[in-house]
Amino acid sequence: MKDKIMLLLYEWKHIARQPAVWMLFFFFFVIGGYAIYSGNVLTQKKLTAIDEAGKESMKDYRNTLQAFTDTVSVEKKQQAENAGNPYVIDYRYPRIAYDQPYPLTGLASGIKDITPVTEKVNYYTDYAAVDREMTNPSILFEGRLDLLYVNLYLIPLLIIVLVYNVISSEKEKGISNLLIVQGGTLKRVLLGKLLTRLIVVFLAASMVNVLGMLLSPSGFPSFKDAFLWLFLLFSYCVLWISLCFVIITLDGNSVFNLFTCIAFWVFLMFLLPLAINKTAQMKHPSDLKLLDLEEKDRQISDEVWAMKPKMVVDSFYKNFPRYAPAYSPSDTIDNQNDAFFAGYYYIKQNRMKAVIDSLWEGDNKANQTAYRLIRCNPVQSTEHLFTLLARTSRVDYLGYKQDVKDFRHVWQTFFYDRVFSMKDGKREISKLTPEELTKLPTFEVKHHEVKISDFIWGTLFLWIINIGCFIGGLIMIRKFKQ
């Protein structure tokens, strides 16, 4: 045990005496610091956008409230009479949904650097205005310098530069025999060197990542997420130490080790993701056509508006049976009644949804195929786990969109309960009072918890590779020429 400690201390002194190593870590901390700054800028922009949307919503509230009492003109008096109409409230004071950034968002921006942070929620879905489906099948290329980029790209390079010549340089200098005499077997010397460098790199990476968590504008993550983040970071460091260990045990010279390690880095970082992307696209070719959704929306609007009123009205009552008691034969006479408008928007949004779903069908399948294939690449699998913890993955965004959809249903039910309210056996619109404006349904921000099972299976894949490389290296080191 004493010999192992002495070897670790010797290696630490050996590393600390190299100016190039200090320059390397200085560069790493500078890039890491800038990555923290870049991620925090993105997070702060999102928080500012949410704050501005909240102020705008409060302004809408004050204007809506003022409309109840503003009667300075004939026109204003008429508006005051209709100020509590659900249609007017939906237009003047729409509900707002927020995609609140999680504390880890700045560390791994994922696709959240291109997704909207707020959106208005009305009683119907305007598919011509909503953002389109996210296409990100390669997953690895996020396009923003954040700590995820530093973790995935720079940590492996740091490890490669530190370990590629841990044995070959001593052999080339003729001092390997002296090291073996002082430290014991060659295996012990090599493992001691690798362990020392693993500790140094992981501690440096942990310092940068913990600093990023502490400086996050959206707060500090939960202890569980912080622990899982650091454990994943450790697993990724071990992955590259293990890969380098296998290459070193091939008993090549320093140049061979360096170029082989870099070749592995290029393959896992660029070539394999490109192959996965192309495979997904070839299996599910995209038939995406440039389509003007606003023009398509107008076309469908005209088609539905021209339908027979009875067909439109019946469609609404059939799909919303809770309002069947409000049915009136007069609803089918023309297209100037609440039942027709409700049916009109129901049919229109369903047809627009079908158009958009077909538009993105190939890309959705390609995305799903890519997500299955990334399990073959430890780098992309690690990236996916990081974005899961940061709540910036495509999975989390789809969860947010489902939350918006669920909330729209809540608001729509509240709206239709007012429009199709019954009093003394007759249907009439139940207007809102100024006091009821503060009791309208509001969107609740949710951060979906990461399934531990998904995280375990993802990290298990990494550790299977780590153990496999370690065992393979121990087998090959027996043939190592001392």
Side-chain angles (χ1 to χ4, degrees), residues 40-50 117 144:
N40 287 349
V41 168
L42 172 66
T43 303
Q44 190 59 56
K45 285 183 178 179
K46 288 186 171 292
L47 293 174
T48 301
I50 291 175
V117 68
R144 174 177 288 272

Side-chain angles (χ1 to χ4, degrees), residues 181-300:
V181 170
Q182 293 180 342
T185 65
L186 180 63
K187 179 174 69 174
R188 178 181 298 178
V189 173
L190 178 55
L191 293 180
K193 286 174 172 286
L194 293 179
L195 178 60
T196 303
R197 284 155 177 79
L198 171 62
I199 294 173
V200 171
V201 172
F202 176 66
L203 288 178
S206 297
M207 290 173 59
V208 175
N209 280 261
V210 171
L211 182 63
M213 296 179 190
L214 294 174
L215 296 179
S216 173
S218 53
F220 194 78
S222 66
F223 175 80
K224 183 189 73 172
D225 287 341
F227 172 78
L228 293 178
W229 182 279
L230 294 178
F231 178 76
L232 181 59
L233 180 66
F234 175 74
S235 302
Y236 189 67
C237 291
V238 174
L239 170 70
W240 282 97
I241 287 288
S242 302
L243 290 174
C244 292
F245 175 50
V246 172
I247 294 172
I248 291 171
T249 56
L250 295 177
D251 199 14
N253 56 33
S254 298
V255 175
F256 171 82
N257 291 344
L258 178 61
F259 277 93
T260 305
C261 290
I262 293 297
F264 263 95
W265 182 82
V266 172
F267 174 74
L268 293 178
M269 294 291 176
F270 301 101
L271 299 183
L272 187 53
L274 179 62
I276 289 175
N277 187 19
K278 292 299 182 182
T279 301
Q281 291 181 350
M282 291 176 62
K283 188 174 181 180
H284 301 287
S286 174
D287 57 353
L288 183 61
K289 302 177 289 293
L290 292 177
L291 180 65
D292 188 339
L293 290 182
E294 293 184 359
E295 177 62 30
K296 190 65 177 178
D297 182 74
R298 285 192 294 269
Q299 178 185 342
I300 291 178

Side-chain angles (χ1 to χ4, degrees), residues 76 102 107 158 281 293 303-304 335 391 417:
K76 292 292 185 180
Y102 189 67
L107 277 64
L158 188 62
Q281 291 181 350
L293 290 182
E303 292 175 355
V304 179
N335 55 12
R391 277 55 165 193
D417 284 346

Side-chain angles (χ1 to χ4, degrees), residues 22-179:
W22 287 103
M23 290 295 297
L24 190 64
F25 276 98
F26 175 77
F27 175 77
F28 175 77
F29 281 113
V30 169
I31 297 298
Y34 180 79
I36 294 174
Y37 166 77
S38 176
N40 287 349
V41 168
L42 172 66
T43 303
Q44 190 59 56
K45 285 183 178 179
K46 288 186 171 292
L47 293 174
T48 301
I50 291 175
D51 184 60
E52 291 296 327
K55 292 179 180 178
E56 189 66 26
S57 181
M58 183 57 64
K59 181 180 178 181
D60 291 339
Y61 167 74
R62 289 193 295 266
N63 291 337
T64 304
L65 192 63
Q66 183 180 0
F68 282 90
T69 58
D70 190 356
T71 57
V72 295
S73 64
V74 176
E75 182 181 358
K76 292 292 185 180
K77 288 181 180 180
Q78 186 177 0
Q79 291 181 2
E81 292 178 0
N82 293 320
N85 188 300
Y87 290 103
V88 176
I89 298 298
D90 182 73
Y91 174 75
R92 284 185 173 176
Y93 187 33
R95 307 291 82 208
I96 305 295
Y98 305 93
D99 189 9
Q100 185 78 22
Y102 189 67
L104 292 173
T105 296
L107 277 64
S109 59
I111 65 172
K112 291 299 178 74
D113 58 345
I114 57 176
T115 58
V117 68
T118 64
E119 60 181 289
K120 292 183 178 181
V121 180
N122 298 101
Y123 75 94
Y124 63 92
T125 304
D126 186 0
Y127 281 102
V130 298
D131 56 295
R132 300 186 177 187
E133 173 65 33
M134 293 293 102
T135 305
N136 194 20
S138 63
I139 299 172
L140 183 62
F141 308 110
E142 302 297 347
R144 174 177 288 272
L145 179 58
D146 52 19
L147 272 181
L148 179 60
Y149 177 91
V150 174
N151 292 341
L152 291 179
Y153 286 82
L154 298 189
I155 287 179
L157 290 178
L158 188 62
I159 291 175
I160 290 172
V161 172
L162 287 176
V163 307
Y164 79 94
N165 63 347
V166 290
I167 292 296
S168 58
S169 62
E170 278 78 1
K171 292 180 63 176
E172 293 162 2
K173 295 175 182 178
I175 60 175
S176 58
N177 292 332
L178 179 61
L179 288 174

Side-chain angles (χ1 to χ4, degrees), residues 297 300-306 312-313 316 338-349:
D297 182 74
I300 291 178
S301 297
D302 293 340
E303 292 175 355
V304 179
W305 191 263
V312 177
V313 171
F316 170 72
D338 298 321
F340 179 87
F341 288 136
Y344 162 79
Y345 281 117
Y346 177 78
I347 297 174
K348 174 187 169 182
Q349 69 184 23

Side-chain angles (χ1 to χ4, degrees), residues 138-140 148 152 232 236 239 268 272-273 276 370-389 393 454-463 465:
S138 63
I139 299 172
L140 183 62
L148 179 60
L152 291 179
L232 181 59
Y236 189 67
L239 170 70
L268 293 178
L272 187 53
I276 289 175
Y371 269 97
R372 290 193 295 268
L373 292 177
I374 66 171
R375 298 173 184 175
C376 303
N377 185 354
V379 173
Q380 288 180 286
S381 179
T382 302
E383 186 272 346
H384 179 57
L385 292 176
F386 273 126
T387 56
L388 281 181
L389 291 174
S393 67
D454 293 342
F455 187 86
I456 290 177
W457 283 111
T459 52
L460 181 62
F461 171 66
L462 287 180
W463 281 99
I465 296 178

